[in-house]
């Protein structure tokens, strides 16, 4: 294959070839379902939706597992606050998650396991780790002893002495080392009964990290091709997954590790703890779902993504230009010939660590050529290539008319921009603005005294 992927573990671009020829096994950490999904969740899940789509477009068979964390401290707290069972809360939030993901055209994974269905497998791993001397009991809890695992720190690239008990590392009584983490938590008297399981250690529940190890290995095997997630999961979650899984099984957990970049608000990482986050539902009240998806796709998955209404407005305008080309030149049904120059450049971009910014640039080249040549084959190739990354599959006129109501000031600004383009003899830009407004139901009328407009009936 020509596909190259950046491996967080080795900090290098690597030629990718699946462990089993023609079949990729991929695990991505999913959502902890206690609240509505936010833009950070959208960014991560669109990023790995692009990965799964491109792997399949490349002719590979894909087994894709994206877990659902349905037992965790935040879930228990929220269920108690709401006065509902854990299952009632998580069922409701899973339905809301899929409502958001479906709106963003995120394809369903092959498997979406719930952590609560894999507690026996988690307990098997805990027992194996204890038998190997990598875990120890502390009261009713069982902790992992990180200093007994020689490879701890290899994903984060830090030694044990450099790592410390920081964000998301709970410092609890009974730990031999601050970096040790809990594998099994003993039940507390005030916790709901449906958040507890019987075990050889007494009633309790799994720690967060052990959940992914159990689900990944149960569904994909002890070693699989790709493990993905947000950059915030690299340490401690993914580091701990490696320690648990490799400590228990004695083989590498994943051949390649992928991490998507943060979403920033005013150059500060978006997070619930800082209170500077937006739910997907809130964003979709102002912008259509494909605009949000396009905004995410235009940035490389590993780069920071700066969120603002201004950037979403810009993405909406850019997406409209692509749909305007499809509306002006109805596309023919095209089967992609990957040796065609535009298709070859698109493929080269995607094969270079899923380089969507460069791939999107090719889409704009095709839109410009379709407008110039009026070729249905060109616009058909535009639509077909965009489809491999989940874009431009709607009816163009429906997209262009959706939310197309413009205020007078915006229309006058576009008229002024068109006049400036004509004065500069940039007639292609002037015509593009006319077509853009026409697609939004605005008809321009030129006369000796200037330009006026009216709305199409």
């Amino acid at each position: 294959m020509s596909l190259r992927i950046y491996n967080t573990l080795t900090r290098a671009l690597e030629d990718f070839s699946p462990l089993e020829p023609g079949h990729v096994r991929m695990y991505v950490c999913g959502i902890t379902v206690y609240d509505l999904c936010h833009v950070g969740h959208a960014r991560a899940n669109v990023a790995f939706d692009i990965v799964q789509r491109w792997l399949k477009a490349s002719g590979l068979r894909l087994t894709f597992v994206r877990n659902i964390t349905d037992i965790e401290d935040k879930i228990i707290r929220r269920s108690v606050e709401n006065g509902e069972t854990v299952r009632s809360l998580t069922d409701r939030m899973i339905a809301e998650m899929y409502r958001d993901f479906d709106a963003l055209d995120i394809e369903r994974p092959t498997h979406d396991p719930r952590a609560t269905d894999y507690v026996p497998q988690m307990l098997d791993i805990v027992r194996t780790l204890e038998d190997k001397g990598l875990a120890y009991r502390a009261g009713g809890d069982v902790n992992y002893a990180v200093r007994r695992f020689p490879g701890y720190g290899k994903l984060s690239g830090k030694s044990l002495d450099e790592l410390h008990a920081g964000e998301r590392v709970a410092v609890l009584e009974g730990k031999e080392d601050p970096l040790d983490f809990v594998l099994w938590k003993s039940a507390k008297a005030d916790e709901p009964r449906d958040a507890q399981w019987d075990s050889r250690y007494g009633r309790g529940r799994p720690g967060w990290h052990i959940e992914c190890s159990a689900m990944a290995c149960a569904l994909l095997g002890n070693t699989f091709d790709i493990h993905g997630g947000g950059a915030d999961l690299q340490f401690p979650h993914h580091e701990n997954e490696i320690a648990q899984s490799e400590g228990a099984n004695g083989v590498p957990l994943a051949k390649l590790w992928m991490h998507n970049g943060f979403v920033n608000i005013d150059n500060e990482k978006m997070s619930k703890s800082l209170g500077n986050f937006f739910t997907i539902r809130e964003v979709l009240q102002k912008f259509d779902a494909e605009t949000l998806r396009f905004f995410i796709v235009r940035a490389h998955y590993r780069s920071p993504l700066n969120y603002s209404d201004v950037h979403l407005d810009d993405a909406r305008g850019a997406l409209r230009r692509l749909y305007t080309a499809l509306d002006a030149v109805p596309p023919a049904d095209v089967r992609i010939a990957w040796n065609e120059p535009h298709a070859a450049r698109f493929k080269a971009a995607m094969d270079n660590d899923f380089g969507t910014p460069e791939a999107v640039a090719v889409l704009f080249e095709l839109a410009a050529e379709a407008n110039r040549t009026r070729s249905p084959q060109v616009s058909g190739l535009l639509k077909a290539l965009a489809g491999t990354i989940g874009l431009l599959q709607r009816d163009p006129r429906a997209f262009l008319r959706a939310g197309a109501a413009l205020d007078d000031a915006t229309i006058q600004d576009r008229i002024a921009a068109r006049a400036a383009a004509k004065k500069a003899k940039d007639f292609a830009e002037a015509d593009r603005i006319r077509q853009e407004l026409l697609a939004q139901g605005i008809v321009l009328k030129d006369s000796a005294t200037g330009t006026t407009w009216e709305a199409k009936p």
Side-chain angles (χ1 to χ4, degrees):
M1 289 185 64
S2 57
L3 178 60
R4 290 169 60 78
I5 304 176
Y6 183 84
N7 188 349
T8 308
L9 184 65
T10 61
R11 289 158 183 78
L13 272 173
E14 297 181 359
D15 294 331
F16 177 73
S17 59
L19 293 164
E20 176 189 336
H23 179 204
V24 179
R25 289 170 293 154
M26 178 171 76
Y27 184 91
V28 173
C29 289
I31 306 298
T32 300
V33 286
Y34 70 101
D35 206 345
L36 293 176
C37 294
H38 55 65
V39 175
H41 296 137
R43 202 282 163 91
N45 285 278
V46 168
F48 286 100
D49 182 55
I50 296 296
V51 172
Q52 75 156 325
R53 285 173 181 268
W54 187 248
L55 291 171
K56 289 187 284 190
S58 300
L60 294 164
R61 182 164 67 92
L62 174 67
T63 301
F64 176 26
V65 178
R66 187 185 66 213
N67 77 292
I68 296 171
T69 295
D70 63 342
I71 185 66
E72 201 259 354
D73 291 350
K74 292 186 285 290
I75 292 172
I76 293 172
R77 285 196 296 269
R78 182 61 57 85
S79 72
V80 172
E81 290 169 5
N82 292 353
E84 65 180 319
T85 65
V86 167
R87 185 73 184 203
S88 171
L89 171 65
T90 56
D91 282 350
R92 188 160 49 82
M93 288 298 104
I94 289 168
E96 296 295 347
M97 175 191 77
Y98 273 118
R99 178 181 165 189
D100 288 339
F101 286 5
D102 290 347
L104 291 169
D105 200 20
I106 295 169
E107 293 185 344
R108 299 288 177 103
T110 315
H111 305 284
D112 53 356
R114 297 174 67 132
T116 52
D117 291 333
Y118 287 80
V119 173
Q121 290 88 338
M122 298 173 202
L123 285 166
D124 285 344
I125 297 174
V126 174
R127 180 169 188 166
T128 298
L129 292 171
E130 186 181 22
D131 290 345
K132 288 188 171 186
L134 292 169
Y136 60 92
R137 302 188 191 194
D141 296 345
V142 183
N143 294 331
Y144 189 97
V146 298
R147 291 190 181 274
R148 301 179 197 172
F149 179 69
Y152 196 83
K154 62 183 177 181
L155 183 65
S156 56
K158 297 180 180 179
S159 68
L160 278 168
D161 291 334
E162 291 174 307
L163 296 169
H164 57 85
E167 184 183 2
R168 303 187 82 174
V169 177
V171 180
L172 301 174
E173 290 185 12
K175 282 188 175 185
E176 294 178 356
D177 186 283
L179 285 174
D180 291 353
F181 57 91
V182 66
L183 298 167
W184 185 259
K185 295 184 177 185
S186 60
K188 296 177 176 57
D190 59 348
E191 290 181 340
R193 292 288 293 178
D194 66 341
Q196 302 173 19
W197 287 262
D198 289 322
S199 78
R200 66 193 302 222
Y201 312 107
R203 285 192 66 79
R205 57 188 169 89
W208 176 43
H209 308 297
I210 196 68
E211 296 177 2
C212 284
S213 289
M215 289 181 279
C217 294
L219 291 166
L220 296 174
N222 292 343
T223 303
F224 48 90
D225 295 290
I226 299 172
H227 195 312
D232 57 326
L233 299 181
Q234 184 176 337
F235 179 83
H237 183 52
H238 289 165
E239 195 77 71
N240 291 350
E241 274 192 70
I242 289 173
Q244 295 164 159
S245 305
E246 298 185 6
N249 301 323
V251 293
L253 175 60
K255 179 179 178 182
L256 189 146
W257 289 79
M258 296 178 66
H259 293 91
N260 65 273
F262 294 125
V263 176
N264 293 331
I265 308 287
D266 296 327
N267 296 315
E268 186 173 39
K269 177 181 174 291
M270 188 183 76
S271 71
K272 287 190 175 181
S273 61
L274 296 173
N276 64 343
F277 72 98
F278 299 93
T279 66
I280 296 173
R281 203 67 52 81
E282 288 170 332
V283 176
L284 296 188
Q285 290 175 357
K286 300 173 66 176
F287 299 93
D288 68 276
E290 191 169 0
T291 290
L292 177 56
R293 182 183 178 94
F294 184 68
F295 164 69
I296 294 169
V297 169
R298 284 206 301 180
H300 190 269
Y301 78 90
R302 285 194 287 117
S303 66
L305 184 66
N306 291 311
Y307 177 89
S308 73
D309 282 0
V310 171
H311 291 133
L312 266 295
D313 276 322
D314 180 68
R316 177 163 54 188
L319 188 59
R320 292 188 72 85
R321 292 198 295 274
L322 295 175
Y323 268 116
T324 298
L326 293 178
D327 183 53
V329 187
D333 288 334
V334 170
R335 183 172 181 177
I336 300 170
W338 291 108
N339 60 349
E340 190 278 335
H342 291 96
R345 289 200 300 278
F346 185 95
K347 185 178 188 303
M350 292 300 296
D351 280 348
N352 184 26
D353 197 29
F354 309 98
T356 54
E358 296 82 6
V360 167
V362 174
L363 300 183
F364 280 101
E365 291 176 14
L366 283 165
E369 184 171 333
N371 286 329
R372 183 176 66 256
T373 64
R374 319 305 287 180
S375 167
Q377 295 296 318
V378 173
S379 59
L381 182 58
L382 165 62
K383 181 176 180 180
L385 288 175
T388 66
I389 55 175
L391 296 172
L392 301 185
Q393 301 307 294
R394 296 168 61 183
D395 175 69
R397 186 55 55 91
F399 175 85
L400 293 168
R401 284 183 173 171
L406 301 176
D407 58 40
D408 185 75
T410 301
I411 296 169
Q412 292 301 333
D413 284 345
R414 302 309 294 144
I415 289 173
R418 177 172 174 264
K422 290 172 69 175
K423 185 175 181 180
K425 300 189 183 304
D426 187 352
F427 299 111
E429 175 65 7
D431 186 59
R432 188 195 66 74
I433 293 172
R434 173 189 281 277
Q435 291 298 324
E436 181 182 343
L437 288 171
L438 182 62
Q440 296 178 75
I442 304 301
V443 179
L444 300 185
K445 295 189 173 183
D446 295 321
S447 70
T449 57
T451 302
T452 58
W453 65 273
E454 64 181 30
K456 285 193 299 185

